[in-house]
Amino acid sequence: MNKVLYQLAFRNVQKYKKHYLLSFVIIFFLSIFFISASIIGDNRYQAEKEYNQKTYGHWYVMFGIDENYKSMLEEHVQAYLPDMEYGQYYEQGIYKDNKIGFIDEVGLDLCHLQIIQGHYPTKDNEIMVSTDLSQELKLHQKVELKVNNNVNEYTVVGIVKNSQKGIFPDIYTHIHHGYPFKTIFDRDLRVNNNIIIDPNDPDGIIPIDELISNEYGYSANQSVGLYQFSVHQTIILVEISVLVIFILMILTSTSLKRRTKEFALLRGVGMTTRQLFLMIIYENIIMIIVSIICGALLSLGISYGASLYLQEQFGCFVYQLNWIKILVYVLFLVAYITCSMIFPGISSAKKSLSGAFEGKRFQYIQIRYRKLHYQKKWRLALREMRVYKGITICLFIVFGLCFIYYIGSIMNPGMQEEKTNRFESFHYLEYEVFESGEKKSIKKLNLPHTIEFHYQYVGSLNIDENGQEFTSPIQWKGKAVGVGTILCIDDTKWIDQSRINGRKPENDNEILLGNNTAMFYTDQQYNEHIVGYLSIGDSIEIHNETYYIVGQIIPNETMIAQDGIQYSSQFLPSEHTLYVSPKIYKMFPQIDDSYEYSTLRTYYTTDKERDECIEKVQSILPWVNIIDSDEGLLSNNVETLVEIEPYMLITPMAISLILCYFLNKNQITNNKQDYQLYKLIGMTNKELIFTQFCKACIMTLSMSLFGMIWIIAFYSYYHTTTIPIIEYLFSCIMILVVTSIIYCLPFYKILKTGVFIERME
Amino acid sequence: MLLKAKNLKKIYGFDDNRVEALKDLSIEIEEGTFVAIVGRSGSGKSTLLHVLGGLVKPDKGEVLLEEQSLYSMSDDTLTRLRRRRMGFVFQFFNLISTQNVIENIVLPIHLDNGKVDEEYIHEIIDLLGLTEKKNAFIHELSGGQQQKVAIARALASKPAIIFADEPTGNLDAKSSKEVVDLLKIAQRQYHETVIMVTHDELIASVADRIITIEDGRIINDTKTKS
């Protein structure tokens, strides 16, 4: 039995090759995309890894410190970081442009400096040389070298594979001193460009220089980039997969509908629904397998070409094929594409008999249309949209997503800022100054983008400098409540640098919220009790005036490259904070230093600007410690780093619209008989095209209604004052134009070919 | 009685577009008879044939073939019954174009996982004059030859009844006569019951019984001398 079905399926694929061509092309490109993305991704990773290992060795961080701090650092590491591995490196001189130095065995191991011949020097007159230099200085050869300004004769006892020429020496001695002294750590233990041994001790900071972070191991961006890449790739693959399934379902359904009579005949001569369904699935599986095999073979070629390109980039050729992974991809593609065929297959198999023989109701349809002729064209359009709901749903989803994204991005200014700030480095200098005179001196320097933050603690019950109790001016549900920190927005610069959910305050009555800002009251025993958390849309009363929360600052965190990704403290006191205007800030009693704090920060963009700032500040206040946060990336967490970029949304939408155009064209061609009947009952070409235009109008109207609801929802949630009327109207017009093209143009083109008339004849 | 249909009702469309194709129609067909159903276009004759053949479910009424109610069966059972006990000849879309003549003829048997009676099949092929064309593909045949193949296929599974829906509708006069003669031979030689829908009264005249339908009702039921 199956043999007959296979045979029928195979011959049908040959017969209906034109029907299957589009599906073939889509699956072919999909498999190329899936498989080559996988192979190229793996090969690129390997090539990059090989390149990095060859160039930089394994990961480490190396920096120079003053010899005086050496014992202090060792004590600190032994006491607090017992698991930390570290090596020592002294620079000791130069021999014909080659560095001479000492690295202990731990250091060699950390930097992946492998001894490939001989042994590590055990005596002061023994040396190792790098592979490059071993061409000149052979094993056991004696050579005269100037080490630490002393000239002596040394014997080459080992050859070390030096993958990082210029960073590490080419000649390794066994002499344990030199200048400068560097340490090589297996992890990063620094904060900015200092190592803080004891945060409470001003002398507990070790300045470091000549910092080298291994680019392979320490590139946090690379780790995040890889993560982002994989998440982006997954998003794209999921988008494409969903899109492809949808398209294939429509294509298969359309293609099968054309064959209703053939299926009816097969059912008539005794083919069961199951047999018919199996035959359809076999046909599709044949087409799917052929297209995936073709796609996979071409992917191998494409990825080979990509490997050649990567060879130019990384200097090493990697072309590894993970057959199991490829097989898994192929099977996955076959399975999920086949799944997309199941519904149209079952539907066609079930409806084949009634679809064909009840299709004999030509005469009745005629009567029906004759009656329909007197109905409004709008009703006809609506009926057609309901009948061909695939395209209608597709358009509705595409335009709906466009509306959500476009209008949402306009109405939420935070989203715009997020886009501009995301992934950009966030550089600033923070001055550890506590005297107001010092602050004034720094301010007088007119440094670029220098901002002072004022913030104070507001509890529900506080004690002033005279030991008197006083309650918070904030009232909530008739009770005095504390909120933690109140920060004064006296300069909007840092707000511009921040990411905000909701929107920025537009007047003095609007305030911003930090993360997890709770309201609490303090009892007589000075225990604090949380009474609720604030969120966007809430209001609070201060001195009987109402203030609205319009947005929330997303905590900005500094991402520091370490082993993996770790986060240091936040830039701003974002937790448990209210961000208020200076006018509101003044309503709170500024008690003393124990309640009020301020900090001074200069944002810079270039190293030159930074150096100038440091120089200026140090010239007047040489004792002030300046923290340079030049590694900061604006980010909330890794998840939020991954966002759907506009192209990820726009590209599938554009593809969807183009496909909708062709699907509609296909549908019109398939239903020529209907349009022939319309003409038969006296509808003119103009009326027919108008009916198509009515469909475009109905789609536009429903989308504009959807957009209106979306805007109202957005407005009620965020209290935004920005109502994008022009953008809304523009979107509606664009939808009308696009839908008109999708509905009317293919119809007009088919009408022009005169095919409807031919059919009538 | 081989085939019985009681109070058949079939409606297409709804509301303003409602059309009653069969109006409380009852019919009985005896074994071994050649029945012609005639009527004007849109009178409901094809609908009746499809309902009798188990192809279109009526809205009301029942059809009994050899005392088995067709529409109380499951779809699969009905399909199996159709491929074993019924043969169909349509006006268009009669044959599977991807199969050659012999494959088309034996298709119902293969679908039923049955064993092909080679001798019988060749007998039919000889009878219908298709011996030279038995390995030809459908596009290589004339319209008349295609209908002959359809008749051969209908006879292949030795059915109890053959339904022919305008089998000559697409043929010239000579081929039409040949096809109807073959149906007649099939009836006589293999004791088949044939129900043929036609609008051509001359073609219908070869039948033992002529049923005339108008507006979904039988208006005339005549037995002929042939």
Side-chain angles (χ1 to χ4, degrees), chain A residues 11 15 267 270 273 371, chain B residues 16 75 83 97-98 103 111:
Chain A
R11 291 190 186 169
K15 183 185 172 190
R267 294 277 285 117
T273 313
K371 285 174 183 167
Chain B
D16 296 349
D75 186 55
R83 72 187 172 205
S97 56
T98 55
E103 285 166 342
L111 288 172

Side-chain angles (χ1 to χ4, degrees), chain A residues 175-194:
Chain A
I175 301 162
H176 293 218
H177 60 90
Y179 184 84
F181 167 65
K182 291 181 178 179
T183 54
I184 306 159
F185 283 94
D186 69 343
R187 298 197 293 278
D188 198 352
L189 79 164
R190 74 215 153 87
V191 174
N192 303 323
N193 280 343
N194 298 304

